Short mmCIF file of all heavy atoms in Angstrom, two decimals:
data_model
loop_
_atom_site.label_atom_id
_atom_site.label_comp_id
_atom_site.label_asym_id
_atom_site.label_seq_id
_atom_site.Cartn_x
_atom_site.Cartn_y
_atom_site.Cartn_z
N GLY A 325 -10.05 -21.10 -18.43
CA GLY A 325 -9.90 -21.96 -17.25
C GLY A 325 -8.55 -22.67 -17.18
O GLY A 325 -8.05 -22.95 -16.10
N ASP A 326 -7.96 -22.94 -18.36
CA ASP A 326 -6.67 -23.64 -18.36
C ASP A 326 -5.53 -22.72 -17.93
O ASP A 326 -4.47 -23.20 -17.52
CB ASP A 326 -6.33 -24.16 -19.77
CG ASP A 326 -7.27 -25.29 -20.14
OD1 ASP A 326 -7.95 -25.82 -19.24
OD2 ASP A 326 -7.32 -25.63 -21.34
N LEU A 327 -5.74 -21.42 -18.05
CA LEU A 327 -4.66 -20.47 -17.76
C LEU A 327 -4.80 -19.79 -16.40
O LEU A 327 -3.81 -19.46 -15.76
CB LEU A 327 -4.64 -19.36 -18.82
CG LEU A 327 -4.00 -19.65 -20.17
CD1 LEU A 327 -4.10 -18.41 -21.05
CD2 LEU A 327 -2.53 -20.02 -19.98
N VAL A 328 -6.06 -19.55 -15.99
CA VAL A 328 -6.29 -18.72 -14.80
C VAL A 328 -6.52 -19.60 -13.56
O VAL A 328 -7.37 -20.49 -13.57
CB VAL A 328 -7.50 -17.78 -15.02
CG1 VAL A 328 -7.74 -16.92 -13.78
CG2 VAL A 328 -7.28 -16.90 -16.24
N ALA A 329 -5.76 -19.32 -12.52
CA ALA A 329 -5.91 -20.10 -11.28
C ALA A 329 -6.95 -19.47 -10.37
O ALA A 329 -7.79 -20.17 -9.80
CB ALA A 329 -4.56 -20.19 -10.56
N GLU A 330 -6.90 -18.13 -10.20
CA GLU A 330 -7.80 -17.50 -9.23
C GLU A 330 -7.88 -16.00 -9.48
O GLU A 330 -6.93 -15.38 -9.96
CB GLU A 330 -7.26 -17.74 -7.81
CG GLU A 330 -8.31 -17.58 -6.75
CD GLU A 330 -7.79 -17.78 -5.32
OE1 GLU A 330 -6.57 -17.92 -5.12
OE2 GLU A 330 -8.63 -17.80 -4.42
N VAL A 331 -9.04 -15.44 -9.11
CA VAL A 331 -9.21 -13.98 -9.08
C VAL A 331 -9.41 -13.59 -7.62
O VAL A 331 -10.23 -14.20 -6.93
CB VAL A 331 -10.42 -13.56 -9.95
CG1 VAL A 331 -10.73 -12.08 -9.77
CG2 VAL A 331 -10.17 -13.88 -11.42
N ARG A 332 -8.65 -12.58 -7.16
CA ARG A 332 -8.72 -12.21 -5.73
C ARG A 332 -8.70 -10.69 -5.59
O ARG A 332 -8.19 -10.00 -6.47
CB ARG A 332 -7.49 -12.73 -4.97
CG ARG A 332 -7.32 -14.21 -4.93
CD ARG A 332 -6.16 -14.55 -4.01
NE ARG A 332 -4.88 -14.13 -4.56
CZ ARG A 332 -4.04 -14.94 -5.21
NH1 ARG A 332 -4.35 -16.20 -5.40
NH2 ARG A 332 -2.89 -14.48 -5.67
N GLY A 333 -9.18 -10.21 -4.45
CA GLY A 333 -9.02 -8.80 -4.15
C GLY A 333 -10.29 -8.16 -3.66
O GLY A 333 -11.33 -8.81 -3.52
N GLN A 334 -10.20 -6.88 -3.39
CA GLN A 334 -11.36 -6.11 -2.93
C GLN A 334 -11.27 -4.70 -3.49
O GLN A 334 -10.18 -4.12 -3.56
CB GLN A 334 -11.36 -6.07 -1.40
CG GLN A 334 -12.63 -5.50 -0.84
CD GLN A 334 -12.91 -6.01 0.56
OE1 GLN A 334 -12.00 -6.38 1.27
NE2 GLN A 334 -14.16 -6.01 0.95
N GLY A 335 -12.42 -4.16 -3.90
CA GLY A 335 -12.45 -2.81 -4.43
C GLY A 335 -11.55 -2.70 -5.65
O GLY A 335 -11.54 -3.57 -6.52
N LEU A 336 -10.73 -1.64 -5.68
CA LEU A 336 -9.83 -1.45 -6.82
C LEU A 336 -8.43 -1.96 -6.52
O LEU A 336 -7.43 -1.37 -6.93
CB LEU A 336 -9.85 0.01 -7.26
CG LEU A 336 -11.15 0.38 -8.00
CD1 LEU A 336 -11.26 1.88 -8.23
CD2 LEU A 336 -11.29 -0.38 -9.32
N MET A 337 -8.37 -3.04 -5.77
CA MET A 337 -7.12 -3.79 -5.54
C MET A 337 -7.46 -5.23 -5.92
O MET A 337 -7.96 -6.00 -5.11
CB MET A 337 -6.73 -3.69 -4.06
CG MET A 337 -5.48 -4.44 -3.67
SD MET A 337 -5.13 -4.08 -1.93
CE MET A 337 -3.64 -5.07 -1.70
N GLN A 338 -7.29 -5.54 -7.20
CA GLN A 338 -7.70 -6.85 -7.72
C GLN A 338 -6.52 -7.56 -8.35
O GLN A 338 -5.57 -6.91 -8.81
CB GLN A 338 -8.80 -6.67 -8.78
CG GLN A 338 -10.11 -6.11 -8.25
CD GLN A 338 -10.90 -7.11 -7.40
OE1 GLN A 338 -10.71 -8.32 -7.48
NE2 GLN A 338 -11.80 -6.58 -6.57
N ALA A 339 -6.59 -8.87 -8.38
CA ALA A 339 -5.51 -9.63 -8.98
C ALA A 339 -6.05 -10.88 -9.65
O ALA A 339 -7.09 -11.40 -9.28
CB ALA A 339 -4.50 -10.03 -7.91
N MET A 340 -5.29 -11.32 -10.65
CA MET A 340 -5.60 -12.59 -11.33
C MET A 340 -4.34 -13.44 -11.28
O MET A 340 -3.29 -13.03 -11.80
CB MET A 340 -5.99 -12.29 -12.78
CG MET A 340 -6.24 -13.52 -13.60
SD MET A 340 -6.53 -13.06 -15.34
CE MET A 340 -8.32 -13.02 -15.35
N GLU A 341 -4.45 -14.57 -10.60
CA GLU A 341 -3.29 -15.46 -10.56
C GLU A 341 -3.39 -16.45 -11.71
O GLU A 341 -4.43 -17.07 -11.93
CB GLU A 341 -3.23 -16.21 -9.21
CG GLU A 341 -2.09 -17.22 -9.21
CD GLU A 341 -1.60 -17.59 -7.82
OE1 GLU A 341 -2.04 -16.98 -6.83
OE2 GLU A 341 -0.75 -18.49 -7.76
N LEU A 342 -2.31 -16.59 -12.45
CA LEU A 342 -2.28 -17.54 -13.57
C LEU A 342 -1.63 -18.84 -13.14
O LEU A 342 -0.95 -18.90 -12.11
CB LEU A 342 -1.49 -16.93 -14.75
CG LEU A 342 -2.00 -15.60 -15.32
CD1 LEU A 342 -1.21 -15.24 -16.58
CD2 LEU A 342 -3.49 -15.66 -15.65
N LYS A 343 -1.83 -19.85 -13.96
CA LYS A 343 -1.16 -21.13 -13.69
C LYS A 343 0.22 -21.15 -14.35
O LYS A 343 0.96 -22.10 -14.19
CB LYS A 343 -2.02 -22.28 -14.24
CG LYS A 343 -3.36 -22.40 -13.52
CD LYS A 343 -4.25 -23.45 -14.17
CE LYS A 343 -5.60 -23.49 -13.47
NZ LYS A 343 -6.60 -24.24 -14.22
N VAL A 344 0.49 -20.10 -15.13
CA VAL A 344 1.79 -19.97 -15.81
C VAL A 344 2.36 -18.60 -15.47
O VAL A 344 1.69 -17.80 -14.81
CB VAL A 344 1.62 -20.08 -17.35
CG1 VAL A 344 1.12 -21.46 -17.73
CG2 VAL A 344 0.66 -19.00 -17.85
N SER A 345 3.58 -18.32 -15.92
CA SER A 345 4.16 -17.01 -15.66
C SER A 345 3.26 -15.89 -16.22
O SER A 345 2.75 -16.00 -17.35
CB SER A 345 5.54 -16.91 -16.31
OG SER A 345 5.99 -15.57 -16.24
N ALA A 346 3.08 -14.84 -15.44
CA ALA A 346 2.22 -13.72 -15.88
C ALA A 346 3.02 -12.67 -16.64
O ALA A 346 2.44 -11.74 -17.20
CB ALA A 346 1.54 -13.09 -14.66
N THR A 347 4.34 -12.82 -16.66
CA THR A 347 5.17 -11.79 -17.30
C THR A 347 4.81 -11.56 -18.77
O THR A 347 4.69 -10.39 -19.19
CB THR A 347 6.67 -12.16 -17.15
OG1 THR A 347 6.91 -12.30 -15.75
CG2 THR A 347 7.58 -11.08 -17.70
N PRO A 348 4.59 -12.62 -19.58
CA PRO A 348 4.23 -12.35 -20.99
C PRO A 348 2.93 -11.55 -21.11
O PRO A 348 2.79 -10.75 -22.04
CB PRO A 348 4.05 -13.76 -21.58
CG PRO A 348 4.84 -14.65 -20.70
CD PRO A 348 4.76 -14.06 -19.33
N VAL A 349 1.99 -11.73 -20.18
CA VAL A 349 0.74 -10.96 -20.23
C VAL A 349 1.04 -9.48 -19.93
O VAL A 349 0.58 -8.58 -20.63
CB VAL A 349 -0.31 -11.51 -19.23
CG1 VAL A 349 -1.57 -10.66 -19.24
CG2 VAL A 349 -0.63 -12.96 -19.56
N GLY A 350 1.83 -9.25 -18.88
CA GLY A 350 2.22 -7.88 -18.53
C GLY A 350 2.93 -7.22 -19.69
O GLY A 350 2.69 -6.04 -20.00
N GLU A 351 3.80 -7.97 -20.37
CA GLU A 351 4.56 -7.40 -21.49
C GLU A 351 3.65 -7.13 -22.69
O GLU A 351 3.78 -6.11 -23.35
CB GLU A 351 5.71 -8.34 -21.86
CG GLU A 351 6.78 -8.27 -20.79
CD GLU A 351 8.00 -9.12 -21.07
OE1 GLU A 351 7.95 -9.94 -22.02
OE2 GLU A 351 9.00 -8.96 -20.35
N TYR A 352 2.71 -8.05 -22.93
CA TYR A 352 1.76 -7.83 -24.05
C TYR A 352 0.97 -6.54 -23.80
O TYR A 352 0.83 -5.70 -24.69
CB TYR A 352 0.81 -9.03 -24.18
CG TYR A 352 -0.12 -8.92 -25.36
CD1 TYR A 352 0.25 -9.43 -26.59
CD2 TYR A 352 -1.37 -8.31 -25.23
CE1 TYR A 352 -0.60 -9.32 -27.69
CE2 TYR A 352 -2.22 -8.19 -26.32
CZ TYR A 352 -1.83 -8.70 -27.55
OH TYR A 352 -2.68 -8.59 -28.63
N LEU A 353 0.47 -6.39 -22.59
CA LEU A 353 -0.32 -5.20 -22.28
C LEU A 353 0.52 -3.94 -22.45
O LEU A 353 0.05 -2.92 -22.97
CB LEU A 353 -0.88 -5.28 -20.85
CG LEU A 353 -1.93 -6.36 -20.60
CD1 LEU A 353 -2.38 -6.34 -19.14
CD2 LEU A 353 -3.14 -6.19 -21.51
N PHE A 354 1.77 -4.00 -22.03
CA PHE A 354 2.63 -2.82 -22.12
C PHE A 354 3.03 -2.53 -23.58
O PHE A 354 2.82 -1.42 -24.07
CB PHE A 354 3.89 -3.01 -21.27
CG PHE A 354 4.85 -1.86 -21.36
CD1 PHE A 354 4.65 -0.71 -20.62
CD2 PHE A 354 5.94 -1.91 -22.22
CE1 PHE A 354 5.52 0.38 -20.74
CE2 PHE A 354 6.81 -0.84 -22.34
CZ PHE A 354 6.59 0.30 -21.59
N TYR A 355 3.58 -3.53 -24.25
CA TYR A 355 4.15 -3.27 -25.58
C TYR A 355 3.10 -3.18 -26.68
O TYR A 355 3.24 -2.42 -27.62
CB TYR A 355 5.17 -4.36 -25.94
CG TYR A 355 6.44 -4.24 -25.12
CD1 TYR A 355 6.68 -5.11 -24.06
CD2 TYR A 355 7.39 -3.24 -25.38
CE1 TYR A 355 7.83 -5.00 -23.29
CE2 TYR A 355 8.54 -3.13 -24.62
CZ TYR A 355 8.76 -4.02 -23.58
OH TYR A 355 9.88 -3.90 -22.82
N GLU A 356 2.03 -3.99 -26.57
CA GLU A 356 1.03 -4.01 -27.65
C GLU A 356 -0.14 -3.08 -27.39
O GLU A 356 -0.78 -2.60 -28.32
CB GLU A 356 0.48 -5.43 -27.84
CG GLU A 356 1.53 -6.49 -28.09
CD GLU A 356 2.26 -6.27 -29.42
OE1 GLU A 356 1.63 -5.76 -30.36
OE2 GLU A 356 3.46 -6.60 -29.48
#
Side-chain angles (χ1 to χ4, degrees):
D326 290 346
L327 281 180
V328 180
E330 201 181 7
V331 172
R332 298 187 291 262
Q334 190 154 25
L336 286 171
M337 179 175 179
Q338 294 288 340
M340 176 186 264
E341 175 157 353
L342 301 187
K343 295 174 183 167
V344 295
S345 171
T347 303
V349 177
E351 288 182 349
Y352 184 90
L353 293 179
F354 177 81
Y355 289 104
E356 304 295 328

